[in-house]
Amino acid sequence: TRKIRSRGVWGEIEDNVFEGWNRSEFAKSFMQQMAKSNDLKKSSLYCLEILADQLNALAIKHFGWTGKYHQYHSQFELGDFPQASVTLPLQLDEETTLEFLSWDRKAAFSHLEKIGRSLGLIKTYSPDSFSRFVAFTKRIVPIKQQEMVSYSLQNLPGHSFINLYHRDEIDLLDDLLHENGHHHLNLYLILGNLLREDPDQIYYSPWRRTLRPIRGIYHAHYTFYFALKLFHDLSLALIDNKLDWPGHLTKLQEQKIFFRFMEEWLMLDFTGVDLKRARRRGQITAEGWRVIQGIEKQRKSMSGMVKKIYPRLSRDNIDAIEALKVILNTQNKLTRAG
């Protein structure tokens, strides 16, 4: 802005400043000022004042600065917390500390304890899963939306946004490892070219019960494998009477662990076929296929658990598993006819 020349002279600097504001969230304010004055420097300075006020507001809200601010609207769904957030550490091993960043200061310590208990269970009964978690998850942020389970963003590596309000203890174990799976896969996606998209080729997703492109199937298969691994390891401990659960593990919780293994096994077995089809069609590169083969080898080694768990399912859960088989068999006929 300081380099803008006198009115009437327009060059590369002026073009860059104009386009910068025009593509920004301040475009409306900028264009309104330009319409009033037709003065690029004055309009730019006006928007810089708005930006400065927003930065000042962030400092007041989150870093303890004092003062008042205006022209700033909280957008909670984008992570702009309604009050000063708190960051709490959780030591995972001698070298690794997990950060828990929470907007809910009242519940922060109880949430941290809950996460600590969950990771303790994972470390004890699924140590490979725990080692992978330590390698990839760096920060957890709670979310409080009943319809949302958890999510992560590729441009925020290692950050897991987890629903700590509407999910039970077993769900939390699953959510922590599922988002960690996304972090791991995102690293592969950054380092190499795993997929070749083809909009004409779509596949059935048993998790979403809808058709999705190969990218969606690939992501789901990779990340839901870690749920299968978790529930395999917990089921094994249950069957061997070695699962020392915090408090009393109810029959419903036992059934949920068994059911979730069976459910994930069937769905991953289904999408494994489509990944092979996509590989033959050239939609998965050699590098992408090596990534999938790595988890497929481990997944198939768990097949013996299916016969052990099925007889232990309740009548309702057996009915649910049989219903899922019908759905998958139907989709097999509908989507793999060609």
CSV table of all heavy atoms in Angstrom, one decimal, residues 9 54 94 101 107 116 152 161 204 213 233 278 290 307 315 318:
chain,number,residue,atom,x,y,z
A,9,VAL,N,-2.0,7.1,-11.9
A,9,VAL,CA,-0.8,6.3,-12.4
A,9,VAL,C,-1.1,4.9,-11.9
A,9,VAL,O,-1.3,4.6,-10.7
A,9,VAL,CB,0.5,6.8,-11.8
A,9,VAL,CG1,1.6,5.9,-12.3
A,9,VAL,CG2,0.7,8.2,-12.1
A,54,GLN,N,-9.3,-6.7,13.4
A,54,GLN,CA,-9.6,-8.2,13.5
A,54,GLN,C,-8.4,-8.9,14.3
A,54,GLN,O,-8.6,-9.7,15.2
A,54,GLN,CB,-9.8,-8.8,12.2
A,54,GLN,CG,-11.1,-8.4,11.6
A,54,GLN,CD,-11.5,-9.3,10.4
A,54,GLN,OE1,-10.8,-10.2,10.0
A,54,GLN,NE2,-12.7,-9.1,9.9
A,94,GLU,N,8.0,-40.8,26.4
A,94,GLU,CA,9.1,-40.0,26.9
A,94,GLU,C,9.4,-38.8,26.1
A,94,GLU,O,9.9,-37.7,26.5
A,94,GLU,CB,10.4,-40.8,27.1
A,94,GLU,CG,10.3,-41.9,28.2
A,94,GLU,CD,11.6,-42.6,28.3
A,94,GLU,OE1,12.5,-42.4,27.6
A,94,GLU,OE2,11.6,-43.5,29.2
A,101,LEU,N,-6.5,-28.7,22.9
A,101,LEU,CA,-6.9,-27.3,22.8
A,101,LEU,C,-8.4,-27.2,22.9
A,101,LEU,O,-9.1,-27.7,22.0
A,101,LEU,CB,-6.4,-26.7,21.5
A,101,LEU,CG,-6.9,-25.3,21.2
A,101,LEU,CD1,-6.3,-24.3,22.1
A,101,LEU,CD2,-6.5,-24.9,19.7
A,107,ALA,N,-15.0,-28.1,31.1
A,107,ALA,CA,-14.9,-29.5,30.9
A,107,ALA,C,-13.5,-30.0,30.4
A,107,ALA,O,-13.3,-31.2,30.2
A,107,ALA,CB,-16.0,-29.9,29.8
A,116,GLY,N,-7.1,-39.5,28.0
A,116,GLY,CA,-6.0,-40.3,28.6
A,116,GLY,C,-6.4,-41.8,28.8
A,116,GLY,O,-5.6,-42.7,28.6
A,152,SER,N,-11.0,-34.2,10.3
A,152,SER,CA,-9.7,-33.6,10.3
A,152,SER,C,-9.5,-33.0,8.9
A,152,SER,O,-10.3,-33.2,8.0
A,152,SER,CB,-8.6,-34.7,10.5
A,152,SER,OG,-8.7,-35.8,9.6
A,161,PHE,N,-10.4,-33.2,15.3
A,161,PHE,CA,-11.5,-32.5,15.9
A,161,PHE,C,-12.5,-33.6,16.3
A,161,PHE,O,-13.0,-34.3,15.4
A,161,PHE,CB,-12.1,-31.6,14.9
A,161,PHE,CG,-11.2,-30.4,14.5
A,161,PHE,CD1,-10.3,-30.6,13.5
A,161,PHE,CD2,-11.3,-29.2,15.1
A,161,PHE,CE1,-9.4,-29.6,13.1
A,161,PHE,CE2,-10.4,-28.2,14.8
A,161,PHE,CZ,-9.5,-28.4,13.8
A,204,TYR,N,-19.7,-48.2,-4.8
A,204,TYR,CA,-20.6,-48.2,-3.6
A,204,TYR,C,-19.8,-48.1,-2.3
A,204,TYR,O,-18.9,-48.9,-2.1
A,204,TYR,CB,-21.6,-49.4,-3.6
A,204,TYR,CG,-22.5,-49.4,-2.4
A,204,TYR,CD1,-23.6,-48.5,-2.4
A,204,TYR,CD2,-22.3,-50.2,-1.3
A,204,TYR,CE1,-24.5,-48.5,-1.3
A,204,TYR,CE2,-23.2,-50.2,-0.3
A,204,TYR,CZ,-24.3,-49.4,-0.3
A,204,TYR,OH,-25.1,-49.4,0.8
A,213,PRO,N,-16.7,-41.6,-5.8
A,213,PRO,CA,-15.5,-41.8,-6.7
A,213,PRO,C,-14.5,-42.6,-5.9
A,213,PRO,O,-14.5,-42.8,-4.7
A,213,PRO,CB,-15.1,-40.4,-7.0
A,213,PRO,CG,-15.6,-39.6,-5.8
A,213,PRO,CD,-16.9,-40.2,-5.4
A,233,ASP,N,-8.5,-56.3,18.2
A,233,ASP,CA,-7.6,-56.4,19.4
A,233,ASP,C,-8.4,-56.4,20.7
A,233,ASP,O,-8.1,-57.2,21.6
A,233,ASP,CB,-6.6,-55.3,19.4
A,233,ASP,CG,-5.6,-55.4,18.2
A,233,ASP,OD1,-5.6,-56.5,17.6
A,233,ASP,OD2,-4.9,-54.4,17.9
A,278,ALA,N,-10.5,-51.1,-9.3
A,278,ALA,CA,-10.0,-49.7,-9.6
A,278,ALA,C,-8.5,-49.8,-10.0
A,278,ALA,O,-8.1,-49.1,-10.9
A,278,ALA,CB,-10.2,-48.8,-8.4
A,290,ARG,N,0.6,-50.2,-3.3
A,290,ARG,CA,1.5,-50.7,-2.3
A,290,ARG,C,1.0,-50.2,-0.9
A,290,ARG,O,1.0,-51.0,0.1
A,290,ARG,CB,2.9,-50.1,-2.5
A,290,ARG,CG,3.7,-50.9,-3.5
A,290,ARG,CD,5.2,-50.6,-3.5
A,290,ARG,NE,5.4,-49.2,-3.8
A,290,ARG,CZ,5.7,-48.7,-5.0
A,290,ARG,NH1,5.6,-49.6,-6.1
A,290,ARG,NH2,5.9,-47.4,-5.3
A,307,LYS,N,-15.1,-66.2,12.6
A,307,LYS,CA,-15.8,-67.4,13.1
A,307,LYS,C,-15.8,-67.4,14.7
A,307,LYS,O,-16.8,-68.0,15.2
A,307,LYS,CB,-15.1,-68.6,12.6
A,307,LYS,CG,-15.2,-68.9,11.1
A,307,LYS,CD,-14.5,-70.2,10.7
A,307,LYS,CE,-14.7,-70.4,9.2
A,307,LYS,NZ,-14.0,-71.7,8.8
A,315,ARG,N,-28.8,-62.0,19.3
A,315,ARG,CA,-29.8,-62.2,18.2
A,315,ARG,C,-30.0,-61.0,17.4
A,315,ARG,O,-30.0,-61.0,16.2
A,315,ARG,CB,-31.1,-62.7,18.8
A,315,ARG,CG,-32.1,-63.1,17.8
A,315,ARG,CD,-31.7,-64.4,17.0
A,315,ARG,NE,-31.2,-64.1,15.7
A,315,ARG,CZ,-30.7,-65.0,14.9
A,315,ARG,NH1,-30.5,-66.2,15.3
A,315,ARG,NH2,-30.3,-64.7,13.7
A,318,ILE,N,-26.9,-60.3,15.3
A,318,ILE,CA,-26.8,-61.3,14.2
A,318,ILE,C,-27.8,-60.8,13.1
A,318,ILE,O,-27.4,-60.9,11.9
A,318,ILE,CB,-27.2,-62.7,14.6
A,318,ILE,CG1,-26.0,-63.3,15.5
A,318,ILE,CG2,-27.5,-63.6,13.4
A,318,ILE,CD1,-26.3,-64.6,16.1
